[in-house]
Amino acid sequence: VIAPAGPAAARIATLWWILLVVGGLIWLGVVALLGVGLWRRRRAGEDAGAEDPPPPVLRSGDEHGGLPGRPLNWVVGGGVAMPVVVLIGVYALTLGTMRAIPNRGSDEVVIDVIGHQFWWEVRYPNQAIVTANEIHIPAGEPVTLRLTSADVIHSFWVPELHGKLDLNPGLTNHLMLQADQPGEYRGQCAEFCGVQHAGMALLVIADTRADFDAWVAQQQQPALPPTDEIAIQGQQVLLGSSCVYCHTVAGTNATGTLGPDLTHLASRRTLAAATVANTRGHLAGWIIDPQAIKPGNKMPPTNLSATELLALLAYLETLH
Ligand code: CUA
């Protein structure tokens, strides 16, 4: 949060630092006043010749803690006037920050992000791309995110790039996302949404314009038919199993929409919403026993022989 990598996060970080300094100064002032009060008490006791100062006794007419002078001024000034002034100032700064951050970016790169228990569906309607858990954007350009949910309330939060914004079922929230430099920025669901809330992460990958255009061109292709024999067998395993009821591989009969689109699975860096790296071992473990990797997620285990599993892995690895 305090190492911002985009304009929205930078403004939020600036506001955060101001709030920290203001809050810190007020805290120091309160502690200093408390110290002065205690010190005066002690000195008053010593002047009276006692070894230990007597405990403070509230008398009528002295109900404000015994500070000499005009106690009512401290109560009204410190307890009423100052908080009103400080809170109005902080409120104005916060409103100014909110106004300075637009909630829409370009009309060219519009990205629909749909929350699911416990993963992110990612669609680029203008480019006809469907992917999951990974959002590619061109660095240095503001893009528009449209956030909604397929089930419960989730919250989209990429701390280095922006604040949090909820994904509500039946409602669409807009967010301008921009990364100043190419890089990988981790995001996290920030609204408790069920047992795997903490396991609902994502990656925002900011590419150079050329890399982004190449990625778009790649993702627009349907899955190429497998050519080597083991991958051909693997495709038969996939199309003949229950995988097809939940997953899509564009260009095949697998057209399920309950789980992530697998058309370009091998091009993604992680599995299970950034829970594990996308390696052959993790992929095998995920297919056979997904509950061991991410307990409570919605994917059932798949019973496959060793031969079937190896063929399926070979096929899935062709889905670049
Ligand atoms: Cu989705 Cu928390």
Side-chain angles (χ1 to χ4, degrees):
V1 172
I2 55 175
R11 284 199 170 268
I12 293 168
T14 304
L15 177 66
W16 186 88
W17 281 110
I18 293 171
L19 295 183
L20 180 72
V21 170
V22 169
L25 288 175
I26 290 170
W27 182 81
L28 282 175
V30 169
V31 170
L33 284 174
L34 180 64
V36 168
L38 291 173
W39 179 72
R40 286 190 175 178
R41 270 280 172 209
R42 174 168 287 269
R43 221 180 47 169
E46 280 166 1
D47 289 350
E51 296 259 319
D52 290 314
V57 179
L58 283 182
R59 302 177 302 273
S60 99
D62 189 22
E63 63 277 327
H64 301 299
L67 271 176
R70 302 183 188 84
L72 201 60
N73 285 354
W74 283 99
V75 173
V76 174
V80 179
M82 201 170 103
V84 168
V85 170
V86 169
L87 289 177
I88 287 176
V90 161
Y91 183 57
L93 278 175
T94 306
L95 287 183
T97 303
M98 289 168 69
R99 281 178 62 98
I101 301 173
N103 61 5
R104 275 158 226 251
S106 85
D107 292 331
E108 182 221 339
V109 184
V110 176
I111 307 167
D112 288 322
V113 179
I114 301 140
H116 294 259
Q117 287 172 316
F118 300 94
W119 60 282
W120 311 82
E121 180 181 346
V122 179
R123 293 174 169 269
Y124 295 65
N126 297 340
Q127 287 77 16
I129 292 173
V130 182
T131 182
N133 304 320
E134 210 169 82
I135 299 174
H136 281 253
I137 60 173
E141 297 180 36
V143 306
T144 304
L145 263 57
R146 300 191 299 205
L147 308 175
T148 189
S149 171
D151 39 46
V152 300
I153 302 175
H154 305 272
S155 183
F156 182 89
W157 189 33
V158 185
E160 287 166 286
L161 300 183
H162 210 305
K164 301 168 185 173
L165 191 61
D166 278 5
L167 297 87
N168 298 297
L171 204 74
T172 301
N173 281 334
H174 289 79
L175 184 102
M176 182 280 297
L177 199 68
Q178 180 177 342
D180 293 331
Q181 300 296 329
E184 184 183 294
Y185 306 96
R186 191 177 188 278
Q188 171 66 44
C189 182
E191 178 74 36
F192 182 72
C193 54
V195 65
Q196 273 299 338
H197 159 66
M200 184 172 168
L202 76 152
L203 296 180
V204 172
I205 296 162
D207 300 312
T208 62
R209 221 333 141 160
D211 286 349
F212 177 74
D213 290 340
W215 177 84
V216 167
Q218 169 74 17
Q219 298 288 314
Q220 285 172 331
Q221 302 300 316
L224 291 176
T227 47
D228 60 272
E229 195 169 332
I230 186 161
I232 294 171
Q233 284 172 24
Q235 189 187 42
Q236 293 311 310
V237 171
L238 181 115
L239 296 177
S241 75
S242 55
C243 307
V244 297
Y245 299 123
C246 297
H247 295 287
T248 292
V249 178
T252 74
N253 291 333
T255 53
T257 53
L258 289 176
D261 188 291
L262 302 181
T263 309
H264 296 283
L265 173 69
S267 74
R268 301 206 281 262
R269 298 183 186 182
T270 69
L271 298 172
T275 303
V276 290
N278 187 2
T279 63
R280 170 169 264 239
H282 285 139
L283 189 54
W286 181 252
I287 293 165
I288 295 298
D289 190 5
Q291 298 301 320
I293 293 178
K294 193 168 165 177
N297 86 81
K298 306 268 173 167
M299 176 152 153
T302 309
N303 263 322
L304 297 172
S305 71
T307 321
E308 289 169 328
L309 178 62
L310 289 172
L312 179 57
L313 289 171
Y315 172 60
L316 293 174
E317 286 168 348
T318 68
L319 299 176
H320 284 287

